[in-house]
């Protein structure tokens, strides 16, 4: 096990400075399934258009199915979801194609919930609107720096959404490189962290630098403005098998050892707009 090292202090850049560019964009049509990497996206007040528009509802627990409780739902990360046509802001989400290891189906299929129930071997419904007071179970694995150890807690979702806590989250390539430098034997693939935005900092910038942007507004491209609300604490999902990535609890333990379990930032939307890969990211203001 690598020893804990001090996190270097990172200075906040001056207002108006370009701090990076958009390296990648992701949307996740169905909560806890693999999503879509996009060249461009529309971001409104409630987040990236079409993101987490669908989720599975577990009839037995009366809660949203989430890989945050891998004891029940880790298999969701072996599924992928993509829209069959682009979602539009303010409109009902279009159909998604869901691919499980056993089958491919459309959300518009009247039998989609039954087919997913058969595959998961428990009764579920595919929803595009969360019930009032919707919640999910989250499992806290044994990570010494966390308050909870090997327990499951209830997390109540923000009203009207399937988001856990915020409409958008981002991470920088600098944070991922810092973790790889500290623990080179581990695979800190960006996909483990399931961000909406991957930001490539300006040349020479390194470390957990996006945390210096907390309390600031970032401008992406010409119009989009996002407020950086706080750092993004990570959960068990970063450790689970997904795609070609194997299960590895040390990913979360390393993030705890070196940066108090935080990797990335949580964002809210100040001014909606379009974002595309290659857009400059400018620190526009701070409060």
């Amino acid at each position: 096990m690598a020893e804990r090292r001090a996190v270097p202090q990172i200075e906040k850049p001056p207002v108006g400075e370009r701090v990076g560019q958009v390296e990648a964009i992701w949307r996740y049509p169905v909560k806890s399934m693999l999503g879509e990497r996009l060249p461009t996206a529309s971001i409104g007040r409630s987040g990236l258009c079409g993101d987490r528009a669908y989720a599975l509802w577990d009839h037995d627990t009366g809660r949203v199915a989430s890989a945050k409780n891998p004891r029940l739902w880790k298999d969701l990360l072996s599924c992928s979801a993509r829209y069959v046509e682009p979602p539009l802001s303010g409109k009902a989400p279009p159909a998604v194609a869901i691919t499980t290891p056993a089958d491919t189906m459309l959300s518009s299929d009247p039998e989609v919930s039954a087919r997913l129930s058969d595959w998961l071997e428990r009764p579920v419904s595919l929803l595009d609107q969360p019930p009032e007071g919707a919640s999910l179970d989250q499992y806290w694995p044994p990570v010494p720096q966390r308050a909870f150890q090997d327990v499951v807690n209830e997390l109540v979702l923000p009203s009207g959404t399937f988001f856990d806590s915020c409409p958008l989250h981002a991470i920088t390539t600098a944070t991922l490189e810092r973790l790889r430098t500290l623990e080179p034997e581990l695979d800190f693939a960006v996909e483990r962290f399931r961000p909406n935005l991957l930001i490539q900092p300006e040349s020479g910038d390194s470390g957990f630098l996006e945390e210096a942007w907390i309390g600031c507004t970032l401008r992406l491209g010409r119009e989009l403005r996002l407020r950086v609300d706080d750092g993004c604490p990570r959960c068990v999902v970063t450790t689970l098998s997904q795609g070609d990535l194997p299960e590895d609890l040390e990913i979360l333990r390393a993030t705890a050892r070196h940066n108090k379990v935080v990797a990335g930032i949580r964002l809210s939307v100040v001014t909606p707009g379009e974002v595309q890969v290659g857009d400059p990211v400018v620190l526009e203001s701070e409060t």
Side-chain angles (χ1 to χ4, degrees):
M1 180 183 294
E3 66 177 282
R4 185 185 179 95
R5 306 183 195 183
V7 177
Q9 294 297 311
I10 300 171
E11 293 185 3
K12 184 169 292 187
V15 171
E17 180 171 309
R18 174 171 168 155
V19 294
Q21 70 174 28
V22 177
E23 182 76 7
I25 305 167
W26 282 274
R27 173 175 63 206
Y28 308 90
V30 181
K31 188 175 183 66
S32 285
M33 293 186 185
L34 304 184
E36 307 171 290
R37 188 163 175 168
L38 305 170
T40 185
S42 176
I43 295 180
R45 294 285 183 187
S46 57
L48 195 150
C49 185
D51 191 43
R52 277 87 170 185
Y54 292 88
L56 296 184
W57 180 258
D58 180 38
H59 292 237
D60 289 345
T61 62
R63 291 185 179 161
V64 171
S66 167
K68 282 180 176 288
N69 184 10
R71 293 171 172 176
L72 289 180
W73 304 113
K74 66 179 181 179
D75 286 346
L76 292 180
L77 288 169
S78 68
C79 304
S80 63
R82 62 175 180 81
Y83 284 105
V84 298
E85 58 184 66
L88 299 175
S89 180
K91 304 291 185 181
V96 291
I98 297 172
T99 300
T100 73
D103 198 3
T104 296
M105 61 199 80
L106 291 176
S107 60
S108 54
D109 180 351
E111 299 299 316
V112 65
S113 294
R115 293 168 70 181
L116 287 166
S117 297
D118 288 344
W119 177 67
L120 290 163
E121 299 182 341
R122 60 187 296 128
V124 297
S125 294
L126 182 66
L127 303 183
D128 64 3
Q129 292 291 330
E132 187 64 32
S135 66
L136 56 80
D137 287 328
Q138 55 180 350
Y139 169 68
W140 299 99
V143 175
Q145 289 80 6
R146 299 310 305 255
F148 300 108
Q149 299 289 312
D150 195 27
V151 296
V152 176
N153 293 337
E154 181 184 12
L155 173 66
V156 178
L157 304 182
S159 180
T161 80
F162 289 121
F163 296 126
D164 292 341
S165 59
C166 64
L168 286 168
H169 96 270
I171 195 168
T172 66
T173 56
T175 282
L176 298 172
E177 286 303 318
R178 177 63 175 162
L179 289 168
R180 292 178 187 128
T181 299
L182 292 168
E183 309 243 6
E185 72 283 3
L186 300 179
D187 184 1
F188 293 96
V190 62
E191 290 82 3
R192 289 191 181 276
F193 297 87
R194 294 173 63 82
N196 295 115
L197 302 171
L198 176 65
I199 297 173
Q200 171 72 54
E202 292 298 281
S203 177
D205 291 343
S206 62
F208 303 110
L209 57 84
E210 58 264 49
E211 292 174 50
W213 306 341
I214 293 172
C216 299
T217 299
L218 301 177
R219 176 170 53 81
L220 285 70
R222 291 186 299 176
E223 298 178 347
L224 179 63
R225 288 169 175 81
L226 305 175
R227 176 180 167 78
V228 183
D229 295 319
D230 56 10
C232 187
R234 310 317 307 204
C235 68
V236 70
V237 172
T238 58
T239 75
L240 302 178
S241 174
Q242 48 186 291
D244 296 327
L245 299 171
E247 185 171 332
D248 191 348
L249 183 56
E250 284 304 310
I251 296 293
L252 187 58
R253 287 175 171 165
T255 309
R257 283 193 292 272
H258 300 298
N259 203 40
K260 301 179 181 178
V261 204
V262 172
I265 45 177
R266 298 193 286 201
L267 304 144
S268 54
V269 181
V270 177
T271 305
E274 302 292 316
V275 62
Q276 63 182 10
V277 172
D279 274 350
V281 179
V282 176
L283 191 148
E284 191 167 74
S285 65
E286 60 180 292
T287 55

